[in-house]
Amino acid sequence: MAIDQDVEELLIMGDSDLIIRQAQGEWETRDVNLIPYRKYVDDLSKRFKSVEFRYIPRFYNELADALATLASMLPYPGNLHIDPLEIQIRERYGYCNTVEAEPDVQPWYHDIKRFLKTKEYPDLASGGQKRTIR
């Protein structure tokens, strides 16, 4: 995708210290199954003006992990255009009060997944009826 977009400078961040160091050439790739991937990364890297690989500890990568988990649950739409997801990081924490509710049998990501598929979310103020975002 970066090549198709004519990107010249690329920053690649990952939470595997081993993989990042191998991609940087600091460590040798010994696993026979991974050597072709390492060569492919080298070949792709030559197509950019500069490529930087940066290690990000998992502790600081929670948002990426959550987005990757959500993305893996949705079917890929093929050639359709996907609008970018904009995320703002605030300097202050948000607080909420505890609300007593009946136990939900759905997984924690159910409402997020439904919203991504249908653009609808439950309106708890109106008794759980759905509202559509346009």
Side-chain angles (χ1 to χ4, degrees):
M1 184 173 81
I3 292 170
D4 290 343
Q5 298 293 323
D6 296 323
V7 170
E8 293 181 357
E9 298 177 358
L10 190 62
L11 171 62
I12 300 169
M13 297 183 283
D15 59 14
S16 170
D17 191 35
L18 172 67
I19 298 297
I20 294 296
R21 288 181 185 256
Q22 288 174 341
Q24 291 171 329
E26 293 179 25
W27 291 357
E28 187 179 331
T29 305
R30 294 185 181 169
D31 186 330
V32 176
N33 295 322
L34 295 179
I35 291 174
Y37 292 106
R38 171 71 175 108
K39 177 158 179 22
Y40 189 62
V41 168
D42 286 342
D43 293 342
L44 286 176
S45 295
K46 292 174 186 170
R47 298 179 71 176
F48 297 95
K49 184 177 176 182
S50 72
V51 177
E52 179 184 346
F53 296 91
R54 188 177 299 164
Y55 169 67
I56 305 293
R58 282 178 207 254
F59 176 77
Y60 297 109
N61 207 19
E62 291 173 333
L63 181 59
D65 282 345
L67 290 174
T69 299
L70 288 172
S72 71
M73 295 175 193
L74 299 173
Y76 179 67
N79 293 333
L80 298 177
H81 174 75
I82 301 173
D83 290 327
L85 178 64
E86 293 184 27
I87 299 173
Q88 295 179 354
I89 299 175
R90 306 284 184 182
E91 292 183 19
R92 298 174 143 181
Y93 291 105
Y95 297 96
C96 66
N97 295 325
T98 303
V99 177
E100 289 187 29
E102 295 294 319
D104 194 355
V105 295
Q106 300 293 337
W108 66 268
Y109 54 82
H110 173 75
D111 290 332
I112 297 169
K113 185 177 176 183
R114 185 180 65 215
F115 172 77
L116 292 173
K117 282 184 174 181
T118 66
K119 300 289 188 231
E120 293 181 349
Y121 66 96
D123 183 9
L124 300 176
S126 64
Q129 295 179 0
K130 296 179 181 178
R131 287 182 26 187
T132 302
I133 295 183
R134 293 190 169 93

